[in-house]
Amino acid sequence: MNWSGLENLLSGVNKYSTAFGRIWLSMVFVFRVMVFVVAAQRVWGDENKDFVCNTKQPGCNNVCYDHIFPISHIRLWALQLIFVTCPSLMVMAHVKYREGKDRKYMAVHQGSHLYANPGKKRGGLWWTYLVSLVFKAGFDTSFLYILYRIYHGYDLPKLSKCSLAPCPNTVDCFISRPTEKKIFMLFMVVSSAICILMCILEMIYLIGKRILKVINIRNENERVVFADQHELTAIAPPRSQYRSVDPTLAESQLSLSKREKTEGRQKTTLL
């Protein structure tokens, strides 16, 4: 399989990924694909040829090998890597769709852009990226569970018992280099677990960042609404400019003036 072509294809996802996504991609290609291509395939290359059972019964070796290795580790890991890396293509396809849509919009609206940055994780692209993380973590988890169920744990015993027909009785079967194969299997399992952790951390980062953004927008909107409702009016003139009129004082002054006028008339009459 041409893994370099897949690497070149997925390397474009780096510019659309977060820091956790770049670490995940490095983990996949450095600690999984490279180890798979360079070492694991050679280690498991003799698993069928050097599988030996202590019997000469025709067909017993083949039946026991199929029972102990229902599916080859190499083929299972190759299938796992394909499934795990494919969700990243969803993000690239969505970005290409946005870029094509933006070009059509520019042609119709005389150079104005529909997207300021087609690769920015907003709107539908944010959801596509989040779904791709869910798929990647889900595929890795599923394959780890399948490996655990098929081989009854992450171990390769040096001696396996087999009593299936056409074996004449319970025979002892041996695989070649079980310790080395076990080490590589544990390495691939740990690498898958770290990739799952990176996906979970990236999902937490994206969701947390979106929640903080929504909270900031809501607080900003509340501040704007509060400012609109409590808009300052013009400052009122000082109270010293107004003459305070006491109604009781005005009535007393009026009665006093009337009394003075009455007394003045009485004086003129006496004279």
Side-chain angles (χ1 to χ4, degrees):
M1 183 175 180
N2 187 8
W3 293 103
S4 60
L6 182 62
E7 182 179 3
N8 293 331
L9 183 62
L10 293 179
S11 60
V13 183
N14 255 338
K15 56 184 178 182
Y16 310 125
S17 302
T18 62
F20 294 104
R22 295 186 181 97
I23 295 174
W24 177 88
L25 197 62
S26 300
M27 285 290 300
V28 168
F29 283 105
V30 175
F31 293 99
R32 296 176 69 177
V33 174
M34 294 299 294
V35 171
F36 175 82
V37 173
V38 174
Q41 284 184 324
R42 296 182 180 179
V43 172
W44 262 268
D46 58 352
E47 58 180 340
N48 192 5
K49 180 180 64 175
D50 293 340
F51 181 81
V52 179
C53 297
N54 59 353
T55 181
K56 295 298 183 179
Q57 179 68 28
C60 182
N61 278 23
N62 293 334
V63 171
C64 292
Y65 177 81
D66 182 71
H67 175 70
I68 297 172
F69 293 99
I71 182 172
S72 172
H73 287 76
I74 293 297
R75 294 175 180 84
L76 186 64
W77 288 334
L79 194 63
Q80 179 181 1
L81 289 173
I82 292 172
F83 272 88
V84 166
T85 52
C86 279
S88 298
L89 301 179
M90 296 168 52
V91 180
M92 291 192 64
H94 198 153
V95 173
K96 296 300 180 183
Y97 169 76
R98 277 189 165 190
E99 291 176 352
K101 194 174 179 180
D102 187 62
R103 284 194 296 268
K104 293 179 181 179
Y105 187 87
M106 289 175 58
V108 175
H109 295 82
Q110 299 178 354
S112 59
H113 289 272
L114 181 62
Y115 300 102
N117 184 5
K120 194 171 183 62
K121 292 182 288 295
R122 288 181 178 177
L125 185 60
W126 186 87
W127 286 104
T128 302
Y129 195 89
L130 185 64
V131 170
S132 70
L133 293 177
V134 174
F135 275 118
K136 288 189 287 190
F139 285 138
D140 262 335
T141 305
S142 300
F143 276 95
L144 287 181
Y145 177 75
I146 291 172
L147 184 65
Y148 181 85
R149 292 292 296 177
I150 290 178
Y151 294 102
H152 307 288
Y154 305 116
D155 190 16
L156 287 178
K158 298 179 180 179
L159 172 64
S160 300
K161 299 288 186 177
C162 179
S163 58
L164 300 176
C167 297
N169 49 26
T170 301
V171 298
D172 297 331
C173 297
F174 306 89
I175 62 175
S176 64
R177 295 181 290 180
T179 303
E180 185 178 10
K181 292 178 180 179
K182 180 181 177 180
I183 292 173
F184 274 98
M185 183 175 65
L186 292 177
F187 182 85
M188 296 296 285
V189 169
V190 172
S191 300
S192 300
I194 294 176
C195 288
I196 294 172
L197 178 62
M198 289 295 105
C199 290
I200 294 174
L201 291 177
E202 190 170 11
M203 285 188 281
I204 294 174
Y205 171 76
L206 288 175
I207 295 174
K209 188 176 179 180
R210 174 59 64 91
I211 292 174
L212 289 177
K213 184 178 180 180
V214 170
I215 292 175
N216 291 334
I217 293 175
R218 184 176 297 176
N219 292 337
E220 184 66 26
N221 292 336
E222 289 178 356
R223 284 196 292 267
V224 172
V225 172
F226 181 82
D228 291 340
Q229 292 177 350
H230 300 79
E231 187 176 0
L232 297 177
T233 56
I235 300 177
R239 297 180 63 183
S240 59
Q241 294 184 6
Y242 297 98
R243 288 187 63 184
S244 58
V245 179
D246 189 355
T248 57
L249 181 61
E251 292 179 357
S252 62
Q253 287 180 352
L254 183 60
S255 60
L256 181 60
S257 62
K258 288 182 180 179
R259 191 180 304 119
E260 289 177 353
K261 288 181 181 179
T262 304
E263 290 177 354
R265 289 176 183 175
Q266 290 177 355
K267 288 180 180 180
T268 54
T269 303
L270 292 175
L271 293 175

